[in-house]
Amino acid sequence: MSVLKILCIVISIAYVASGSESGFCETPDECTENSRGCPGQSHFTGKRYILYNVNPAEGFNLRRDVYIRVAVFLRRLIERDKEYQWQLVLPPWGNLYHWQSRNIGSQERLSWGTFFDIASLQRYVPVMEMYTFMEEYSCGNREVQLDRLYILQNDEEMFKTGKFEDKNELVDCDRGSLRYHELEQHLYIGPFWGYHNVTVRDVKCLKFHGMAHDLSQNLMPMQYRSIMFDRMEIALHDEYGSKEYWRARRSMRYNSELYDIAEKYRKIFLNSTNVNDNTERPADWTKEKNRRNARGGPYLAVHLRRRDFIRAHKESVPTIMDTALQLQKRMDRLGLTLLFVATDAEQYEFEELKSYLPQYKVMKYVPSDYVINKFKDGGVAIIDQIICSYARYFIGTHESTFTFRIQEDREIIGFPLKTTFNKLCKTDEDCTIDGFWSIVW
């Protein structure tokens, strides 16, 4: 038995003797008959689990960005801490603002495998679905009790003064606005992704400002086996825009069936195939190479964001008529006659756009009943993004994370910069590009 394990057992005995209920009893990592008799989450193993959640108002594509922050944080943690087997538990998806389809069944507690290739993610860091974690962590017990939850909070004083500095400070929680409630000692309930059988033993509020890696001092793996961070969007990127950022981003391949659906649509409606378009990619993202010679299918793709953006970004969102004028100018310049539109616009707005562009074939993806019921609104949005990412030329919406993710995919595929970083302007007049979000290899 290692010195570390002996020390942990001694600490655990001291914990139990002092009246705490969070001591460890020694069992192997696998579930066994003996481990099933070990109280709740109290058995000693080498595995440590990190869970996280974000502000409920955040959308699908911002949440993808938060995943990269956590994944890079975990990878660095694994590199420097060999004592434990760190695992990242993927937070289920559910009930986001743009997921408004009805009559397609529940859009709660959706697994990451619905949208992403889990094996591809695991080539970067050890990740697991929530249902896998619940089975493994509780050894088949129905109730799952996490050890500690940190709720990250901004330091509002910094935003008032403009003087920002690193901060990692435990503070008293405002119980009136707390989303987690103590039923009894060492038992808190809360919005754990819609699961009612998940609780936590201890909740702490953490006034935080800094990079994600600064959270490592709060892990305490000799004491806690599972740690959850809520409001993880507050933590900043450790490696924003670096080679490591792009490695994590490249690992985020979509569910292979979503690629197949998009590829079939491109072939039938847009005369686009990977062979003809020079957009073939290796099955394994680690085998990708730096290039700038992707040609793309013979169509222009535009992401036309409407709905909340009309109000929130009215200074940059064009009218439908101005959108059509800008698209017509670009289509004529490129000599293209096929236009693919990814949009959250109402159908009457899409029809209005088409009416201004009668000389072009204007398309948008309409999912079959099979697709919408299996992959939900999130999967349909990804299909839109895939189709846009393979176009010969792409125009996005200013400050939209939906557009950002398409631009990243196009950078990974290997398109020339000038075909990717274009945006709709407020009017038909040319507007400046904000810059290039170039991939680093």
Side-chain angles (χ1 to χ4, degrees):
M1 184 182 295
S2 69
V3 174
L4 177 61
K5 187 169 283 192
I6 293 173
L7 178 60
C8 286
I9 294 172
V10 170
I11 291 174
S12 302
I13 293 172
Y15 251 41
V16 174
S18 67
S20 170
E21 298 177 10
S22 59
F24 292 113
C25 61
E26 185 185 9
T27 68
D29 284 332
E30 306 82 32
C31 290
T32 65
E33 289 303 315
N34 290 335
S35 70
R36 292 181 191 279
C38 192
Q41 281 69 46
S42 302
H43 48 285
F44 181 95
T45 80
K47 285 189 176 181
R48 296 294 181 268
Y49 303 91
I50 294 178
L51 303 89
Y52 74 95
N53 207 348
V54 301
N55 180 358
E58 301 295 356
F60 185 80
N61 289 289
L62 186 280
R63 290 167 187 254
R64 290 169 59 182
D65 182 78
V66 175
Y67 167 80
I68 295 177
R69 304 177 204 185
V70 182
V72 172
F73 161 52
L74 185 72
R75 186 174 179 87
R76 293 308 192 204
L77 180 64
I78 291 171
E79 288 173 353
R80 69 175 183 266
D81 185 355
K82 306 298 185 183
E83 290 290 341
Y84 302 101
Q85 301 168 41
W86 294 98
Q87 311 284 314
L88 176 58
V89 182
L90 300 169
W93 303 91
N95 283 342
L96 304 187
Y97 169 78
H98 282 95
W99 294 3
Q100 297 185 8
S101 291
R102 302 292 182 261
N103 303 318
I104 62 170
S106 173
Q107 297 200 71
E108 287 188 291
R109 298 187 297 277
L110 301 180
S111 69
W112 275 62
T114 306
F115 307 122
F116 296 97
D117 183 337
I118 300 301
S120 183
L121 297 177
Q122 290 172 336
R123 292 189 181 100
Y124 185 71
V125 287
V127 300
M128 62 171 61
E129 297 276 21
M130 180 61 69
Y131 58 81
T132 303
F133 163 74
M134 294 173 75
E135 174 67 25
E136 177 176 296
Y137 185 75
S138 64
C139 287
N141 295 325
R142 185 179 179 279
E143 301 298 323
V144 176
Q145 190 173 65
L146 308 177
D147 289 329
R148 173 164 280 196
L149 164 66
Y150 291 103
I151 303 172
L152 305 189
Q153 298 179 351
N154 285 313
D155 187 336
E156 298 301 334
E157 192 63 27
M158 289 187 190
F159 289 90
K160 291 177 183 178
T161 63
K163 297 178 180 178
F164 294 94
E165 58 184 11
D166 290 348
K167 176 161 287 190
N168 192 332
E169 176 188 343
L170 288 175
V171 296
D172 292 336
C173 295
D174 179 1
R175 298 295 171 180
S177 60
L178 197 64
R179 297 196 302 152
Y180 301 87
H181 305 284
E182 187 175 18
L183 289 184
E184 56 188 70
Q185 189 177 20
H186 302 307
L187 181 63
Y188 287 80
I189 60 172
F192 294 104
W193 312 279
Y195 290 99
H196 301 295
N197 60 326
V198 178
T199 59
V200 65
R201 299 174 61 83
D202 193 18
V203 174
K204 298 293 184 184
C205 289
L206 191 67
K207 191 172 288 186
F208 185 82
H209 182 78
M211 305 299 181
H213 75 263
D214 294 328
L215 292 170
S216 60
Q217 62 189 284
N218 306 103
L219 295 176
M220 294 181 282
M222 291 181 65
Q223 183 174 343
Y224 302 122
R225 188 168 161 235
S226 58
I227 293 288
M228 176 180 165
F229 297 100
D230 200 355
R231 297 298 306 274
M232 192 63 185
E233 77 279 359
I234 289 176
L236 304 176
H237 278 281
D238 288 320
E239 302 264 1
Y240 194 54
S242 71
K243 179 179 179 180
E244 202 59 42
Y245 170 95
W246 282 100
R247 279 175 54 80
R249 177 60 179 86
R250 285 162 51 206
S251 75
M252 297 185 75
R253 292 281 185 94
Y254 302 120
N255 180 317
S256 61
E257 192 174 350
L258 295 176
Y259 283 114
D260 292 342
I261 294 167
E263 190 170 336
K264 182 178 179 180
Y265 181 91
R266 288 166 48 211
K267 183 177 181 179
I268 295 174
F269 297 105
L270 299 171
N271 193 27
S272 171
T273 67
N274 289 330
V275 173
N276 293 339
D277 304 343
N278 196 26
T279 51
E280 292 180 291
R281 303 168 68 186
D284 182 347
W285 65 266
T286 65
K287 303 295 193 298
E288 291 171 327
K289 302 295 183 183
N290 182 12
R291 69 187 187 116
R292 286 285 177 190
N293 61 350
R295 185 164 179 257
Y299 59 99
L300 184 149
V302 60
H303 170 224
L304 175 60
R305 181 76 176 266
R306 301 293 291 171
R307 295 198 184 180
D308 56 326
F309 259 49
I310 298 175
R311 299 184 302 275
H313 298 271
K314 58 184 180 182
E315 72 286 349
S316 61
V317 175
T319 64
I320 298 296
M321 178 179 289
D322 280 323
T323 297
L325 290 172
Q326 294 174 59
L327 293 174
Q328 178 180 352
K329 181 184 295 185
R330 212 66 60 93
M331 294 278 285
D332 289 346
R333 186 187 305 168
L334 296 167
L336 297 174
T337 58
L338 289 174
L339 173 64
F340 178 80
V341 182
T343 185
D344 62 350
E346 300 292 347
Q347 183 62 28
Y348 74 86
E349 293 178 303
F350 177 69
E351 295 300 333
E352 181 185 354
L353 178 68
K354 288 176 63 177
S355 72
Y356 294 133
L357 300 167
Q359 67 274 48
Y360 308 112
K361 186 177 181 180
V362 182
M363 308 287 297
K364 73 172 181 176
Y365 176 72
V366 179
S368 66
D369 289 343
Y370 166 80
V371 170
I372 188 65
N373 280 284
K374 180 172 182 178
F375 295 107
K376 313 298 184 183
D377 287 331
V380 172
I382 288 173
I383 293 169
D384 266 344
Q385 289 177 310
I386 295 172
I387 296 170
C388 288
S389 68
Y390 283 87
R392 188 154 303 166
Y393 196 92
F394 173 69
I395 303 176
T397 292
H398 182 58
E399 293 189 347
S400 167
T401 53
F402 189 101
T403 283
F404 294 158
R405 300 292 87 84
I406 294 169
Q407 291 171 336
E408 287 174 342
D409 280 331
R410 290 177 65 84
E411 280 292 280
I412 294 167
I413 294 168
F415 282 92
L417 292 170
K418 65 181 181 180
T419 70
T420 292
F421 295 95
N422 310 285
K423 66 180 182 181
L424 293 170
C425 306
K426 177 64 176 178
T427 66
D428 184 34
E429 297 177 4
D430 288 335
C431 55
T432 58
I433 302 301
D434 299 326
F436 302 115
W437 179 232
S438 302
I439 191 170
V440 178
W441 291 90

